[in-house]
Structures are given as structure tokens and as C-alpha cells.
Amino acid sequence: MSDKTEIRGPVTRRRRTTISGGGGGTGGVKQANGSKREDAGEKPPPYPSKAKTEEVSSHASNNGKVGKAKGQLADSPRKQRSVVEDINQRLSCHVLQESLLSSDSGYSNYRGILNWCVVMLVLSNARLFLENIIKYGILVDPIQVVSLFLKDPYSWPSACIIIVSNVFILAALYTERRLAVGTISESTGLILHVFTLTSLLIFPSASVLTVDSITPVGGVLSLGVYSVLFLKLYSYQDTNRWCREIRHAKAKRLTRSYSCPNVAQSNGSAVHCHVSYPGNLTHRDMYYFVFAPTLCYQLNFPRSPRIRKRFLIRRLFEMLFFMQLLVGLIQQWMVPTIQNSMKPFQEMDFSRMVERLLKLAVPNHLIWLIFFYWFFHSSMNFVAELLQFGDREFYRDWWNSETVTYFWANWNIPVHKWCLRHFYKPMLKRGTNKFLAQTAVFLLSAFFHEYLVSVPLKMFRLWAFMGMMAQVPLAWFVGRFLNGNYGNAAVWMSLIIGQPVAVLMYVHDYYVIHYGEAT
């Protein structure tokens, strides 16, 4: 038993000991049974509970002091670091960095500078407009616009020429129907299509050149309609020929369907059925393609689910507003500038010619930008919404063009798609060089530019043709030697300066031919 007592005694004493929280850490080890006090001859405290409470409170207070001390010790390195950093910032205030306007800085937020440019542009053009009003007065005359289209209010030759275009549309449709059922051979169908497409270019031009009552503006309108129809019908016969080739390759007959059957309604939106060849050869399908804002034909166009009335009204309002703005700017700003440019061109005063060219460049470019928005955004979106035509990509970010080829490929997407699908890629498949194929595309574009200008003016000077062909060496030069912002600036310069040069050339020649003898 003594052995057990000797073993349990120390353990019991270790378990019942507490560490006193005396100040300065001088407290010793106290026994719970008070044996130390008895050995020293001291009396135990009269109130044990109170003593225990005091011990606990003193222990807690000491723990708080220890925590604060630890917090101060932890905070002191932070304070020391902050002090050191503050001193370092005072001693060294420079770091390795580039200026914001440097190309190596990576800075790209120039919104304020862009706003400043817009404000300066508005102020400078407002001054020019005010100067024009003071010098010439109000020249805007809506009645005069009618005379640009009609010489005689009872004679509408341009409208009659446009109505006759239905003959060529129906001829292409019936030719495709005969080819679909095998009534005529492929070679005969090709001859008929070539005759129809050639007539589309010859008939309106011959009418404009022979009928004296057609005005230049009316001639441009009618020739523009026939040029669009030429591209559309070429795509129409090309796509149907591909469908016949696929049908012959599969060696099976496709079930005949209707292009535009009775459309079922589902929650107010049209559900369009899938069409297969030759079910697309109907009048309704043909005329939908004729009025659709695209030049490339396909059997099943992407269709929007419904007509958005608010969107349609906004586009209609933009069309009317920008049309009036275009007419006003042409009459008030551009016409007087062109008239004042005739004398320097006749006298071959080079310095005055350059001054008039730069003066004409501002209104001409502004009118071109407004026309782009009016035609490619407002008008084409209006027609697309009305016909529920789903593909609304009529242009891309041509304003960011760093090369000339990028500009011509992105500012007029319908024409670009047509050239790529029906002209450029077929040439590459035949083994034509890429550069020659690109040159051929520019050649085709130059032909139509000259066709739309020379025939209505009834004079052939080839200024538009040469201007378009000059894009080939310009595209090579910009792509080879200019990059980034320099290339973009070169594209803008060609647009701002190139167009007024062609305008002045044609106006000067037209003035000399029609009014030179009178003066």
C-alpha cells in the first residue's frame, strides 16, 4: 500500500497544481490541499471560494496582458515595414515606365482624345456651314430634286425601264424550270442564260443613251437596278446548276416541294419549311430573292422569327431623315464648291486646283459616310426586317482597315460574298494565280463603276475605271510598306482624296461638253 501511495501521490499532486499569475512571474506552485501553507505555519484563507475567484480573475487578466503583448509584437514588424516603405517612397519616387503616348506603353484608352476630335470636327464643319450660308444663302430646294429624276412630269422613262426588268427575271426562272425537268440540255440552258445576262447590261444602257428624256440621276438609278439584277440572276443560275450536279451525282430523284408554302403560325412567329431542288423554282421564291438584301442565292435563307415593328419604324425614320440630309448637303455645300472649281481646272491653275480639291474633299467624304449609313444600315436593315431576312451582315469594321484589300472585302459584304463565291474561288479552282484572280476581281469592279457613271453621263472618260484599277498597286504598296496605324491612315487618305478627284474629273468633262461652247 505504501508503494501505491508513493506512486499515486506525485501524480495527484501534479494534476492538482496550478500556475499562479503573480506579477513578474514569481509565483510558485500551490497545492490544492494547502499543505504548503500548513508546513509554513500559515492559516488557510477564510473564504476559499473568494480566493478561487480572485485566482481565476488574475489569471484572465494576465492572459489578456500576454495577448496584448503578443499583438504588439506581431504589429511591430508591420509598423516597421510600413515605416521602411514610407521612407523608401520618400527617397525614390521614380520607376521604370514608358510615356502613355509611346507605342511601348500598352496604353489604349484614347476615348477623351476621340471625343476631342469629334468636338473639333463639329466646330470646324459648323464654321464652314455658317460661311456657306453667309456666302450663298439657302440653296436647299426639294422641288429641284424631282427635276433630277424627271425632265417631264408626265414621262417616266427610268421607271418604265425598271418595270421591263421583270421580263429578264421570268426568263431566267423559266429557263431553270426547263433545265430541272430535262426539257432542254445544259448547253442550251447556258446559251439562254448568257443571252439573258448580256441583255440585262445592254438593254438599259442602250435605252439611257438613246432616250433624251432620261436624266443622269434617273439613268444611274435604272442602271443600278439592272446591275444588281445581273449579279442576282448570275448567282441564281449558278446555284441551281450546282443543285443539278449534286442531284446527278447522287443519282436519285428528290421529292418536289414548294418554295414558300402556306406558312404556319406558332406564337405569332412564322415557321419556314425547308426547300429542296427543284421545289425552289417558283415565282414567290424568285421574287423573294430579287427583293432580298443579298446578291447570293441559296435555297433556304436564314429567316428571323418575326417582324419587329419598333426596329422597322426606327430604320424608316433614319431612311427619311438621312435622305433629306443628303439632299440638303449636296445642294447647299457640294454643288457650289464644284461650280467654283471649274475655272481653276479650265485655267490649269495647279495651286487653286489643289485648294478646291481639298475644299471639296470634306463635304464629299461626309456625304459618302452618310450615304453608307443610309444604304447599308438603315435601308438594307429595313428591307431585311420587312422580309424577315436573317443574315444582317451587310458590312464589317472597314474603318479599322490597315490594308486596301481589307477595306474592299469588308465595306460591302453582299458584293464581296458574290465575288468570292461566283468569281474568285472558281478562278482559283481552275488553277489561276491568286494575284491574277484578285486583279480580275478589281477589273470586274472597275467595269461596273465605269458602267454606272459613264453611261448615264453619256460620255466615256474611264476615270472611275482607272481609279479602281489604281487600287491594285496601292494595295500592294500599303500591304508591303505600311503597317498598323500607318496603313489605316493610307486607306483613309485614299478615300478622302481619291473620290473627289474622280468627281471633279467627271464634272469638269461634263461641264466642258454641255456648257463649254455656251461660255
Side-chain angles (χ1 to χ4, degrees):
M1 184 169 179
S2 60
D3 294 336
K4 289 181 180 181
T5 309
E6 290 177 0
I7 295 173
R8 291 179 61 185
V11 174
T12 304
R13 284 193 294 270
R14 283 198 297 271
R15 285 169 55 187
R16 299 294 297 276
T17 57
T18 57
I19 299 174
S20 64
T26 58
V29 177
K30 296 181 180 180
Q31 298 293 336
N33 55 9
S35 60
K36 206 169 184 180
R37 292 180 183 272
E38 292 176 355
D39 294 338
E42 296 179 359
K43 296 181 179 180
Y47 302 103
S49 60
K50 185 175 180 181
K52 290 180 181 179
T53 306
E54 289 177 356
E55 288 180 5
V56 172
S57 63
S58 64
H59 178 69
S61 64
N62 288 331
N63 284 341
K65 291 180 181 179
V66 172
K68 289 181 180 179
K70 290 182 179 180
Q72 290 177 357
L73 291 175
D75 290 341
S76 58
R78 297 179 184 175
K79 290 182 179 180
Q80 290 177 0
R81 283 196 300 268
S82 63
V83 171
V84 171
E85 290 177 357
D86 184 41
I87 294 174
N88 289 333
Q89 289 178 358
R90 292 180 184 178
L91 292 176
S92 61
C93 60
H94 297 286
V95 295
L96 183 64
Q97 57 185 344
E98 296 287 344
S99 299
L100 288 183
L101 297 180
S102 176
S103 59
D104 296 332
S105 66
Y107 183 77
S108 60
N109 186 11
Y110 297 103
R111 184 178 59 182
I113 296 178
L114 178 62
N115 293 335
W116 171 78
C117 293
V118 172
V119 171
M120 292 297 295
L121 181 65
V122 171
L123 291 178
S124 60
N125 284 293
R127 185 198 66 80
L128 293 175
F129 183 75
L130 182 61
E131 180 184 359
N132 182 277
I133 293 293
I134 295 174
K135 186 174 182 180
Y136 301 107
I138 303 297
L139 301 177
V140 179
D141 185 8
I143 305 299
Q144 188 181 6
V145 178
V146 180
S147 64
L148 297 176
F149 293 90
L150 301 173
K151 288 184 179 180
D152 185 2
Y154 299 100
S155 177
W156 296 53
S158 298
C160 295
I161 294 174
I162 294 174
I163 293 173
V164 174
S165 64
N166 289 280
V167 175
F168 303 99
I169 295 172
L170 296 176
L173 174 61
Y174 293 143
T175 302
E176 284 300 324
R177 283 185 172 182
R178 301 284 76 79
L179 287 169
V181 297
T183 307
I184 59 177
S185 62
E186 287 290 333
S187 58
T188 305
L190 178 61
I191 294 173
L192 292 175
H193 278 306
V194 169
F195 178 77
T196 302
L197 294 174
T198 306
S199 302
L200 273 171
L201 298 179
I202 295 177
F203 170 74
S205 58
S207 301
V208 169
L209 293 174
T210 55
V211 179
D212 295 332
S213 59
I214 298 179
T215 61
V217 177
V220 170
L221 181 62
S222 58
L223 289 178
V225 171
Y226 273 81
S227 298
V228 170
L229 279 178
F230 174 86
L231 299 177
K232 282 177 175 285
L233 294 184
Y234 186 92
S235 178
Y236 186 76
Q237 64 87 24
D238 228 5
T239 305
N240 284 296
R241 178 172 56 83
W242 295 337
C243 290
R244 287 192 299 274
E245 292 175 355
I246 294 173
R247 185 176 63 174
H248 294 328
K250 290 182 177 180
K252 65 179 181 178
R253 299 182 60 182
L254 299 178
T255 58
R256 186 175 181 83
S257 62
Y258 292 94
S259 175
C260 294
N262 294 328
V263 178
Q265 297 294 328
S266 175
N267 296 327
S269 63
V271 179
H272 304 283
C273 299
H274 182 79
V275 179
S276 58
Y277 184 83
N280 61 309
L281 303 177
T282 62
H283 293 87
R284 191 169 184 178
D285 181 85
M286 181 63 159
Y287 277 96
Y288 179 86
F289 172 58
V290 167
F291 288 101
T294 181
L295 299 176
C296 295
Y297 177 74
Q298 67 184 53
L299 274 67
N300 297 280
F301 290 105
R303 306 291 287 273
S304 57
R306 62 185 181 87
I307 298 177
R308 297 170 292 178
K309 295 181 181 178
R310 292 184 179 179
F311 182 86
L312 199 67
I313 293 174
R314 285 199 299 268
R315 299 289 84 81
L316 179 61
F317 175 77
E318 289 177 355
M319 288 171 60
L320 297 176
F321 173 75
F322 285 114
M323 174 62 74
Q324 298 297 325
L325 183 61
L326 284 172
V327 172
L329 289 175
I330 291 173
Q331 289 183 329
Q332 184 68 42
W333 198 353
M334 197 166 179
V335 172
T337 305
I338 293 175
Q339 291 176 347
N340 293 333
S341 302
M342 292 300 100
K343 186 176 180 180
F345 271 83
Q346 290 178 348
E347 297 176 353
M348 297 303 294
D349 188 350
F350 184 74
S351 59
R352 292 291 304 277
M353 288 167 58
V354 173
E355 185 268 336
R356 289 297 167 180
L357 175 64
L358 296 177
K359 189 173 183 180
L360 181 63
V362 176
N364 177 83
H365 187 64
L366 182 61
I367 289 169
W368 181 79
L369 290 176
I370 295 174
F371 172 79
F372 167 82
Y373 187 89
W374 171 79
F375 185 78
F376 286 97
H377 185 75
S378 301
S379 301
M380 298 190 76
N381 270 292
F382 176 81
V383 176
E385 190 68 26
L386 200 62
L387 297 177
Q388 295 180 256
F389 186 79
D391 189 1
R392 309 292 176 89
E393 190 185 35
F394 305 124
Y395 55 89
R396 297 193 189 113
D397 59 335
W398 57 265
W399 45 86
N400 295 325
S401 302
E402 297 180 359
T403 60
V404 177
T405 54
Y406 185 87
F407 166 78
W408 288 109
N410 290 276
W411 92 279
N412 190 343
I413 294 299
V415 171
H416 173 68
K417 283 183 178 180
W418 187 95
C419 293
L420 200 66
R421 184 191 191 196
H422 299 285
F423 197 76
Y424 181 74
K425 287 185 176 180
M427 291 186 68
L428 293 181
K429 289 181 179 179
R430 296 188 184 98
T432 307
N433 186 15
K434 186 176 180 180
F435 178 76
L436 293 178
Q438 291 179 349
T439 306
V441 172
F442 277 104
L443 187 65
L444 180 67
S445 178
F447 166 77
F448 276 102
H449 277 78
E450 189 65 36
Y451 176 78
L452 293 173
V453 177
S454 292
V455 176
L457 294 178
K458 300 180 181 180
M459 63 179 191
F460 301 94
R461 295 295 186 271
L462 299 179
W463 298 119
F465 184 88
M466 290 188 293
M468 281 302 303
M469 293 309 299
Q471 298 295 311
V472 177
L474 179 64
W476 176 84
F477 177 81
V478 173
R480 181 72 179 273
F481 298 104
L482 301 177
N483 296 317
N485 294 330
Y486 298 103
N488 183 253
V491 173
W492 280 111
M493 286 294 294
S494 66
L495 294 175
I496 296 173
I497 303 298
Q499 292 178 0
V501 169
V503 170
L504 286 178
M505 293 295 101
Y506 278 106
V507 171
H508 172 264
D509 294 345
Y510 187 82
Y511 180 82
V512 170
I513 292 174
H514 293 84
Y515 305 104
E517 297 179 357
T519 56

